[in-house]
Amino acid sequence: MNAGHNSQLTPTERAALRMNHVRKLLDIADRLKPLMDERKTARANAKAEGFKLSEIDAALRLATMEDTDIFVAEIKELIDIARAFNALPPGEQGVLFPDDRPLDEKAFDAGKVAGLQGKNCEPPYDAGSEAGQRWIAGWHEGQRIMRDELQSAMEKVNASTNDGDELIQSDPGFPDGDPFEEAAE
C-alpha cells in the first residue's frame, strides 16, 4: 500500500484515522486561539487609530510578498474593472506608469522599505556597489523613521488615552546601530 493511500482501510479504520486528523487540527486551533485573539485586538487598535483594515491588510500582504509585481498586476486588474464599470473619478485615467527611475533611487527606496519592515540589512545587490550602498542607506533611513517617528507616534497615542492605559507598548522592536558592525566583530 502506498503511503497516504487509505482505500484498503475499513470504514471504521477510516473514521478513526479521520478523527485522529481532526483531533490534531483541533489541538492546533486551541493553541492558536490566544494568537488569534491578540491579532483581533491588534486589528481593533489599528481601526481605532483611524486606519482602514483594508489598508492594513494590503500593507501586510505587501510586507510578506516575495514578488511585489504580483500586487501591482492585481491593482492594474482592479483599475481595469473599475474602468469597465465607469467607477473611476472624472478625469482619472487609471494608468500605472512603469518605474523609470535610476537604479540607485529604486535601491534606496527598496532598502528604506526593508528598514521600515524591520528586515535584516541584507541588500539584494553587492554591498560594495553603488546600488548596494544606496540600498543600505535606504535601510538605515527606514530604521531611523521607525525608531524616531514610531516612538513619537506611540507617545502621542498613549498620551491621548483617557484612562491612562497604554495602548501601544513602547518598544518598536527595531535594532539600533549598524548590523555590519556586529558582523565585523
Side-chain angles (χ1 to χ4, degrees), residues 114-153:
L116 289 168
Q117 292 175 344
K119 292 186 176 180
N120 292 332
C121 186
E122 298 170 349
Y125 312 98
D126 176 22
S129 70
E130 173 145 359
Q133 289 298 303
R134 294 298 298 150
W135 191 97
I136 292 168
W139 182 89
H140 283 290
E141 176 62 10
Q143 290 283 288
R144 184 202 62 76
I145 290 169
M146 290 308 292
R147 278 192 308 273
D148 299 349
E149 303 303 324
L150 181 60
Q151 183 66 35
S152 174

Side-chain angles (χ1 to χ4, degrees), residues 1-182:
M1 181 170 19
N2 294 336
H5 186 67
N6 58 18
S7 63
Q8 303 286 330
L9 300 178
T10 66
T12 54
E13 288 171 333
R14 282 183 51 80
L17 184 60
R18 180 185 317 109
M19 194 44 87
N20 182 55
H21 291 295
V22 168
R23 191 173 41 250
K24 286 178 185 177
L25 291 168
L26 287 172
D27 178 55
I28 291 168
D30 284 344
R31 289 184 282 146
L32 283 174
K33 187 171 180 352
L35 290 174
M36 296 306 290
D37 290 344
E38 185 178 346
R39 179 181 186 271
K40 185 177 178 181
T41 299
R43 289 175 65 81
N45 287 343
K47 189 173 180 182
E49 291 171 9
F51 293 99
K52 290 182 279 181
L53 294 180
S54 61
E55 74 180 290
I56 296 293
D57 291 339
L60 282 169
R61 188 151 177 249
L62 271 170
T64 58
M65 286 184 108
E66 291 292 322
D67 183 4
T68 56
D69 290 343
I70 294 168
F71 192 82
V72 172
E74 290 172 359
I75 291 170
K76 288 179 180 180
E77 289 171 1
L78 289 173
I79 289 171
D80 288 342
I81 292 168
R83 189 180 296 119
F85 282 90
N86 290 324
L88 293 175
E92 177 64 47
Q93 297 296 312
V95 177
L96 294 176
F97 296 101
D99 191 352
D100 293 331
R101 297 176 300 147
L103 178 59
D104 63 326
E105 287 181 30
K106 291 191 273 188
F108 180 87
D109 287 344
K112 183 176 173 183
V113 168
L116 289 168
Q117 292 175 344
K119 292 186 176 180
N120 292 332
C121 186
E122 298 170 349
Y125 312 98
D126 176 22
S129 70
E130 173 145 359
Q133 289 298 303
R134 294 298 298 150
W135 191 97
I136 292 168
W139 182 89
H140 283 290
E141 176 62 10
Q143 290 283 288
R144 184 202 62 76
I145 290 169
M146 290 308 292
R147 278 192 308 273
D148 299 349
E149 303 303 324
L150 181 60
Q151 183 66 35
S152 174
M154 289 187 303
E155 289 169 0
K156 288 177 182 176
V157 168
N158 290 333
S160 69
T161 61
N162 294 335
D163 56 14
D165 288 340
E166 214 175 86
L167 292 177
I168 304 173
Q169 300 300 315
S170 60
D171 178 17
F174 289 89
D176 290 328
D178 187 341
F180 290 115
E181 289 175 355
E182 292 176 15

